[in-house]
Protein backbone atom coordinates (compact mmCIF):
# COMPACT_ATOMS: atom_id res chain seq x y z
CA UNK A 1 0.00 0.00 0.00
CA UNK A 2 1.24 3.50 -0.90
CA UNK A 3 -0.41 6.55 0.74
CA UNK A 4 -3.79 4.92 1.26
CA UNK A 5 -3.88 3.20 -2.14
CA UNK A 6 -3.01 -0.32 -3.22
CA UNK A 7 -3.02 -2.07 -6.60
CA UNK A 8 -3.08 -5.70 -7.76
CA UNK A 9 -3.55 -7.74 -10.93
CA UNK A 10 -6.30 -10.39 -10.86
CA UNK A 11 -6.94 -13.59 -12.82
CA UNK A 12 -10.16 -15.55 -12.16
CA UNK A 13 -11.06 -13.03 -9.44
CA UNK A 14 -7.89 -13.85 -7.45
CA UNK A 15 -4.93 -11.50 -6.91
CA UNK A 16 -1.69 -12.69 -8.48
CA UNK A 17 1.20 -13.16 -6.05
CA UNK A 18 3.81 -10.41 -6.20
CA UNK A 19 7.54 -11.12 -6.10
CA UNK A 20 10.70 -9.05 -5.74
CA UNK A 21 8.80 -6.02 -4.48
CA UNK A 22 10.81 -2.78 -4.53
CA UNK A 23 9.49 0.53 -3.20
CA UNK A 24 11.15 3.93 -3.70
CA UNK A 25 10.25 7.56 -3.03
CA UNK A 26 11.60 10.78 -4.53
CA UNK A 27 10.34 14.36 -4.68
CA UNK A 28 8.69 13.59 -8.03
CA UNK A 29 7.45 10.02 -7.61
CA UNK A 30 6.40 7.28 -5.22
CA UNK A 31 7.02 3.94 -6.97
CA UNK A 32 6.32 0.28 -6.28
CA UNK A 33 7.75 -2.34 -8.69
CA UNK A 34 7.24 -6.10 -8.61
CA UNK A 35 6.99 -9.26 -10.74
CA UNK A 36 3.81 -11.29 -11.28
CA UNK A 37 3.17 -14.67 -13.02
CA UNK A 38 1.14 -14.32 -16.24
CA UNK A 39 -0.75 -17.16 -17.92
CA UNK A 40 -1.36 -17.23 -21.68
CA UNK A 41 -5.02 -17.41 -22.67
CA UNK A 42 -6.29 -15.97 -19.38
CA UNK A 43 -8.28 -12.75 -19.04
CA UNK A 44 -7.00 -10.38 -16.37
CA UNK A 45 -7.88 -7.08 -14.76
CA UNK A 46 -6.10 -4.44 -12.71
CA UNK A 47 -7.75 -3.31 -9.49
CA UNK A 48 -6.93 -0.30 -7.40
CA UNK A 49 -8.09 -0.09 -3.80
CA UNK A 50 -8.70 3.39 -2.38
CA UNK A 51 -8.51 2.74 1.35
CA UNK A 52 -8.51 6.39 2.47
CA UNK A 53 -10.20 9.49 0.97
CA UNK A 54 -7.87 11.17 -1.54
CA UNK A 55 -7.86 14.98 -1.29
CA UNK A 56 -8.52 17.13 -3.27
CA UNK A 57 -9.09 14.34 -5.83
CA UNK A 58 -7.16 11.90 -8.00
CA UNK A 59 -7.06 10.62 -11.55
CA UNK A 60 -6.00 6.98 -11.82
CA UNK A 61 -4.49 5.72 -15.08
CA UNK A 62 -3.75 2.15 -16.16
CA UNK A 63 -1.49 1.07 -19.03
CA UNK A 64 -0.94 -2.40 -20.50
CA UNK A 65 2.14 -2.80 -22.72
CA UNK A 66 2.03 0.99 -23.08
CA UNK A 67 -1.65 1.21 -24.11
CA UNK A 68 -3.98 3.27 -21.94
CA UNK A 69 -7.13 1.78 -20.47
CA UNK A 70 -10.17 3.93 -19.58
CA UNK A 71 -9.14 5.67 -16.38
CA UNK A 72 -10.98 7.06 -13.36
CA UNK A 73 -11.45 10.41 -11.65
CA UNK A 74 -12.21 10.02 -7.94
CA UNK A 75 -13.47 12.73 -5.59
CA UNK A 76 -13.31 12.47 -1.78
CA UNK A 77 -14.67 11.09 0.46
CA UNK A 78 -15.26 8.08 -1.80
CA UNK A 79 -13.32 4.89 -1.05
CA UNK A 80 -13.58 1.53 -2.78
CA UNK A 81 -12.35 -0.49 -5.76
CA UNK A 82 -11.45 0.72 -9.25
CA UNK A 83 -11.31 -1.91 -12.00
CA UNK A 84 -9.55 -1.89 -15.38
CA UNK A 85 -10.26 -4.78 -17.71
CA UNK A 86 -10.37 -3.31 -21.24
CA UNK A 87 -9.22 -0.76 -23.78
CA UNK A 88 -11.81 1.46 -25.45
CA UNK A 89 -12.31 4.10 -28.15
CA UNK A 90 -15.46 5.50 -26.50
CA UNK A 91 -17.85 3.33 -28.54
CA UNK A 92 -16.21 -0.10 -28.57
CA UNK A 93 -14.28 -2.02 -25.94
CA UNK A 94 -12.01 -5.10 -25.89
CA UNK A 95 -11.19 -6.98 -22.70
CA UNK A 96 -7.60 -7.71 -21.65
CA UNK A 97 -5.91 -11.08 -21.72
CA UNK A 98 -2.40 -12.55 -21.63
CA UNK A 99 -1.14 -14.30 -24.75
CA UNK A 100 2.09 -15.83 -26.01
CA UNK A 101 4.54 -13.23 -27.23
CA UNK A 102 4.69 -12.71 -30.99
CA UNK A 103 8.29 -12.73 -32.24
CA UNK A 104 9.72 -11.56 -35.56
CA UNK A 105 13.12 -11.49 -37.25
CA UNK A 106 12.24 -8.26 -39.08
CA UNK A 107 15.16 -5.93 -38.22
CA UNK A 108 12.93 -2.86 -38.69
CA UNK A 109 11.29 -3.83 -35.40
CA UNK A 110 14.59 -3.22 -33.61
CA UNK A 111 13.93 0.52 -33.95
CA UNK A 112 10.17 0.35 -33.39
CA UNK A 113 10.29 -1.87 -30.30
CA UNK A 114 8.41 -0.53 -27.30
CA UNK A 115 10.06 -1.29 -23.97
CA UNK A 116 6.60 -1.21 -22.40
CA UNK A 117 5.78 -4.76 -23.53
CA UNK A 118 5.82 -6.95 -20.45
CA UNK A 119 4.62 -4.22 -18.09
CA UNK A 120 1.31 -3.28 -16.49
CA UNK A 121 1.36 0.20 -14.96
CA UNK A 122 -1.03 2.10 -12.69
CA UNK A 123 -0.42 5.82 -12.08
CA UNK A 124 -2.14 8.27 -9.71
CA UNK A 125 -2.14 12.05 -10.20
CA UNK A 126 -3.49 14.22 -7.43
CA UNK A 127 -5.37 17.43 -8.20
CA UNK A 128 -8.71 19.17 -8.64
CA UNK A 129 -10.95 17.84 -11.41
CA UNK A 130 -13.92 19.94 -12.51
CA UNK A 131 -16.67 18.48 -14.68
CA UNK A 132 -17.29 20.54 -17.82
CA UNK A 133 -20.05 18.60 -19.57
CA UNK A 134 -21.69 15.21 -19.85
CA UNK A 135 -21.81 13.82 -23.37
CA UNK A 136 -24.06 11.26 -25.03
CA UNK A 137 -23.78 7.57 -24.26
CA UNK A 138 -20.83 5.76 -25.75
CA UNK A 139 -21.47 2.94 -28.16
CA UNK A 140 -23.93 4.95 -30.23
CA UNK A 141 -21.72 5.52 -33.28
CA UNK A 142 -20.32 2.00 -33.65
CA UNK A 143 -16.69 2.77 -34.59
CA UNK A 144 -14.38 -0.24 -34.74
CA UNK A 145 -11.53 -0.47 -32.25
CA UNK A 146 -8.50 -1.18 -34.43
CA UNK A 147 -5.53 -2.38 -32.39
CA UNK A 148 -2.13 -3.15 -33.84
CA UNK A 149 -0.69 -5.79 -31.52
CA UNK A 150 3.08 -5.29 -31.50
CA UNK A 151 5.57 -7.97 -32.38
CA UNK A 152 8.93 -8.21 -30.61
CA UNK A 153 12.23 -8.83 -32.35
CA UNK A 154 13.59 -12.20 -31.26
CA UNK A 155 16.84 -10.53 -30.10
CA UNK A 156 14.86 -8.29 -27.72
CA UNK A 157 12.80 -11.00 -26.05
CA UNK A 158 14.80 -10.67 -22.80
CA UNK A 159 13.15 -13.56 -20.99
CA UNK A 160 9.62 -12.50 -21.89
CA UNK A 161 7.22 -15.12 -23.18
CA UNK A 162 3.87 -13.31 -22.87
CA UNK A 163 2.31 -10.03 -23.94
CA UNK A 164 -1.13 -8.42 -23.61
CA UNK A 165 -3.78 -9.47 -26.11
CA UNK A 166 -7.36 -8.28 -26.59
CA UNK A 167 -10.66 -10.14 -26.79
CA UNK A 168 -13.45 -9.63 -29.31
CA UNK A 169 -15.02 -6.19 -29.73
CA UNK A 170 -18.21 -5.40 -27.81
CA UNK A 171 -20.17 -2.12 -27.55
CA UNK A 172 -19.02 0.26 -24.82
CA UNK A 173 -22.12 1.77 -23.22
CA UNK A 174 -20.45 3.92 -20.56
CA UNK A 175 -21.32 7.61 -20.51
CA UNK A 176 -18.66 10.17 -21.50
CA UNK A 177 -17.70 13.35 -19.65
CA UNK A 178 -15.11 16.10 -20.10
CA UNK A 179 -13.06 17.46 -17.19
CA UNK A 180 -10.71 20.36 -16.55
CA UNK A 181 -7.76 19.32 -14.38
CA UNK A 182 -5.61 21.40 -12.04
CA UNK A 183 -2.77 19.14 -10.85
CA UNK A 184 -1.15 19.51 -7.44
CA UNK A 185 2.61 19.60 -7.05
CA UNK A 186 2.53 16.35 -5.07
CA UNK A 187 4.64 13.44 -6.36
CA UNK A 188 2.80 10.99 -8.60
CA UNK A 189 2.31 7.42 -7.38
CA UNK A 190 3.22 4.59 -9.76
CA UNK A 191 2.74 0.81 -9.52
CA UNK A 192 4.68 -1.25 -12.07
CA UNK A 193 3.89 -4.95 -12.54
CA UNK A 194 6.47 -6.77 -14.66
CA UNK A 195 4.91 -9.99 -15.90
CA UNK A 196 6.13 -13.25 -17.39
CA UNK A 197 5.32 -16.95 -16.97
CA UNK A 198 5.86 -18.74 -13.68
CA UNK A 199 8.49 -20.95 -15.32
CA UNK A 200 10.43 -17.86 -16.38
CA UNK A 201 10.16 -16.37 -12.89
CA UNK A 202 11.65 -19.57 -11.48
CA UNK A 203 14.40 -19.62 -14.11
CA UNK A 204 15.23 -16.01 -13.17
CA UNK A 205 15.38 -17.02 -9.47
CA UNK A 206 12.56 -14.58 -8.69
CA UNK A 207 10.23 -17.35 -7.49
CA UNK A 208 11.53 -20.21 -5.31
CA UNK A 209 11.60 -23.60 -7.03
CA UNK A 210 9.42 -25.10 -4.27
CA UNK A 211 6.39 -23.05 -3.27
CA UNK A 212 5.57 -24.91 -0.02
CA UNK A 213 8.65 -26.78 1.30
CA UNK A 214 8.50 -28.34 4.78
CA UNK A 215 9.72 -26.05 7.55
CA UNK A 216 12.43 -27.64 9.74
CA UNK A 217 12.18 -27.61 13.53
CA UNK A 218 14.97 -25.02 13.86
CA UNK A 219 13.09 -22.50 11.68
CA UNK A 220 12.75 -21.67 7.98
CA UNK A 221 15.69 -21.08 5.64
CA UNK A 222 16.06 -17.82 3.68
CA UNK A 223 14.21 -19.29 0.68
CA UNK A 224 11.39 -20.63 2.84
CA UNK A 225 11.13 -17.29 4.61
CA UNK A 226 10.73 -15.59 1.22
CA UNK A 227 7.84 -17.94 0.35
CA UNK A 228 6.17 -17.15 3.66
CA UNK A 229 6.61 -13.42 3.02
CA UNK A 230 4.85 -13.77 -0.33
CA UNK A 231 1.97 -15.68 1.28
CA UNK A 232 1.63 -12.99 3.94
CA UNK A 233 1.54 -10.37 1.17
CA UNK A 234 -1.28 -12.25 -0.60
CA UNK A 235 -3.32 -12.39 2.61
CA UNK A 236 -2.71 -8.69 3.30
CA UNK A 237 -3.99 -7.78 -0.19
CA UNK A 238 -7.12 -9.87 0.33
CA UNK A 239 -7.72 -8.21 3.70
CA UNK A 240 -7.35 -4.75 2.10
CA UNK A 241 -9.81 -5.73 -0.63
CA UNK A 242 -12.43 -6.90 1.88
CA UNK A 243 -12.00 -3.79 4.03
CA UNK A 244 -12.45 -1.56 0.98
CA UNK A 245 -15.65 -3.40 0.02
CA UNK A 246 -16.92 -3.07 3.59
CA UNK A 247 -16.13 0.65 3.63
CA UNK A 248 -17.91 1.17 0.31
CA UNK A 249 -21.07 -0.58 1.51
CA UNK A 250 -21.14 1.34 4.77
CA UNK A 251 -20.58 4.77 3.19
CA UNK A 252 -23.54 7.11 2.97
CA UNK A 253 -25.60 7.37 -0.20
CA UNK A 254 -24.57 11.04 -0.53
CA UNK A 255 -20.90 10.24 -1.17
CA UNK A 256 -19.70 11.28 -4.60
CA UNK A 257 -18.87 8.21 -6.68
CA UNK A 258 -15.86 8.04 -9.00
CA UNK A 259 -16.00 9.04 -12.65
CA UNK A 260 -14.47 6.64 -15.13
CA UNK A 261 -12.27 8.34 -17.71
CA UNK A 262 -11.29 7.35 -21.24
CA UNK A 263 -8.46 8.84 -23.28
CA UNK A 264 -8.32 12.63 -23.03
CA UNK A 265 -10.52 14.55 -23.34
CA UNK A 266 -13.31 11.95 -23.09
CA UNK A 267 -14.43 10.80 -19.66
CA UNK A 268 -16.84 8.09 -18.53
CA UNK A 269 -18.94 9.55 -15.73
CA UNK A 270 -20.54 7.48 -12.99
CA UNK A 271 -21.09 10.43 -10.63
CA UNK A 272 -24.61 10.92 -9.37
CA UNK A 273 -26.05 14.27 -10.45
Amino acid sequence: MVLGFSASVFIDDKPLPEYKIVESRTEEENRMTCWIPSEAGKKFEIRGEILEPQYPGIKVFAFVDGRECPSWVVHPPWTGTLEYNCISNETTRRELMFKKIELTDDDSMLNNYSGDIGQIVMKLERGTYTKVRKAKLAGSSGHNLDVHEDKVHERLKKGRDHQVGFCEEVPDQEEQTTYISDLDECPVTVFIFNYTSLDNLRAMNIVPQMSNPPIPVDGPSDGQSSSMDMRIRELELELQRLRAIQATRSSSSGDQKPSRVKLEPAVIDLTDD
Side-chain angles (χ1 to χ4, degrees), residues 134-138 173-177 260 267-269:
K134 184 179 293 185
K136 64 182 179 180
L137 284 177
Q173 299 295 337
E174 298 288 354
E175 199 170 54
Q176 309 300 304
T177 304
R260 191 177 170 200
V267 175
I268 301 177
D269 183 19

Side-chain angles (χ1 to χ4, degrees), residues 68-70 86-94 138 145 172 176 260 262-263 268:
E68 186 175 351
C69 301
C86 69
I87 58 171
S88 174
N89 66 354
E90 303 177 21
T91 63
T92 306
R93 66 198 299 268
R94 296 178 67 178
L145 179 56
D172 192 338
Q176 309 300 304
R260 191 177 170 200
K262 289 185 185 289
L263 298 180
I268 301 177

Side-chain angles (χ1 to χ4, degrees), residues 247-268:
T248 302
R249 291 175 176 174
S250 63
S251 61
S252 66
S253 59
D255 288 351
Q256 191 172 21
K257 296 179 181 179
S259 300
R260 191 177 170 200
V261 184
K262 289 185 185 289
L263 298 180
E264 291 291 356
V267 175
I268 301 177

Side-chain angles (χ1 to χ4, degrees), residues 117-261:
I117 290 180
Q119 283 192 342
I120 297 168
V121 178
M122 181 173 284
K123 182 174 74 171
L124 289 70
E125 290 183 349
R126 197 176 302 274
T128 301
Y129 297 90
T130 305
K131 185 187 298 184
V132 177
R133 64 180 176 83
K134 184 179 293 185
K136 64 182 179 180
L137 284 177
S140 58
S141 59
H143 296 301
N144 291 333
L145 179 56
D146 295 324
V147 179
H148 175 69
E149 298 186 24
D150 296 328
K151 293 184 178 181
V152 178
H153 197 282
E154 55 192 11
R155 291 190 309 203
L156 299 175
K157 184 179 179 182
K158 295 182 179 179
R160 310 283 190 185
D161 54 3
H162 294 158
Q163 65 186 99
V164 173
F166 306 99
C167 301
E168 294 296 321
E169 294 183 358
V170 295
D172 192 338
Q173 299 295 337
E174 298 288 354
E175 199 170 54
Q176 309 300 304
T177 304
T178 301
Y179 278 83
I180 294 176
S181 60
D182 182 13
L183 299 182
D184 282 6
E185 296 182 357
C186 301
V188 298
T189 299
V190 180
F191 297 85
I192 299 177
F193 301 90
N194 297 296
Y195 66 84
T196 189
S197 68
L198 183 59
D199 287 343
N200 267 358
L201 291 176
R202 285 173 174 156
M204 297 161 64
N205 293 320
I206 292 175
V207 175
Q209 294 296 325
M210 296 181 62
S211 59
N212 293 299
I215 300 177
V217 176
D218 57 356
S221 65
D222 291 342
Q224 293 163 344
S225 179
S226 176
S227 297
M228 294 173 63
D229 290 342
M230 292 305 101
R231 180 58 179 156
I232 290 171
R233 171 66 174 166
E234 292 175 17
L235 293 172
E236 288 175 340
L237 287 171
E238 179 65 11
L239 181 60
Q240 290 173 6
R241 185 181 73 85
L242 293 173
R243 284 176 173 168
I245 293 173
Q246 183 183 49
T248 302
R249 291 175 176 174
S250 63
S251 61
S252 66
S253 59
D255 288 351
Q256 191 172 21
K257 296 179 181 179
S259 300
R260 191 177 170 200
V261 184

Side-chain angles (χ1 to χ4, degrees), residues 4-144:
F5 191 96
S6 68
S8 302
V9 179
F10 282 68
I11 288 180
D12 295 334
D13 206 34
K14 296 179 181 179
L16 295 178
E18 298 166 4
Y19 302 97
K20 203 174 181 180
I21 300 171
V22 177
E23 296 186 4
S24 63
R25 295 191 181 187
T26 66
E27 293 183 357
E28 293 80 24
E29 181 181 83
N30 301 312
R31 174 176 291 208
M32 190 282 289
T33 303
C34 69
W35 285 86
I36 57 173
S38 51
E39 187 175 346
K42 286 283 191 177
K43 293 182 181 181
F44 71 91
E45 65 181 25
I46 311 109
R47 297 184 191 177
E49 300 283 354
I50 298 180
L51 305 172
E52 302 171 1
Q54 302 291 315
Y55 293 93
I58 57 171
K59 184 175 181 180
V60 187
F61 303 84
F63 302 89
V64 293
D65 288 358
R67 290 188 173 87
E68 186 175 351
C69 301
S71 48
W72 292 85
V73 163
V74 180
H75 299 281
W78 191 89
T79 58
T81 304
L82 307 177
E83 298 182 353
Y84 305 78
N85 66 352
C86 69
I87 58 171
S88 174
N89 66 354
E90 303 177 21
T91 63
T92 306
R93 66 198 299 268
R94 296 178 67 178
E95 293 186 339
L96 309 175
M97 65 180 292
F98 291 119
K99 70 173 188 177
K100 291 184 178 180
I101 197 167
E102 294 187 34
L103 299 177
T104 179
D105 59 1
D106 182 357
D107 288 344
S108 67
M109 296 300 295
L110 289 170
N111 296 325
N112 297 333
Y113 170 68
S114 170
D116 294 323
I117 290 180
Q119 283 192 342
I120 297 168
V121 178
M122 181 173 284
K123 182 174 74 171
L124 289 70
E125 290 183 349
R126 197 176 302 274
T128 301
Y129 297 90
T130 305
K131 185 187 298 184
V132 177
R133 64 180 176 83
K134 184 179 293 185
K136 64 182 179 180
L137 284 177
S140 58
S141 59
H143 296 301
N144 291 333

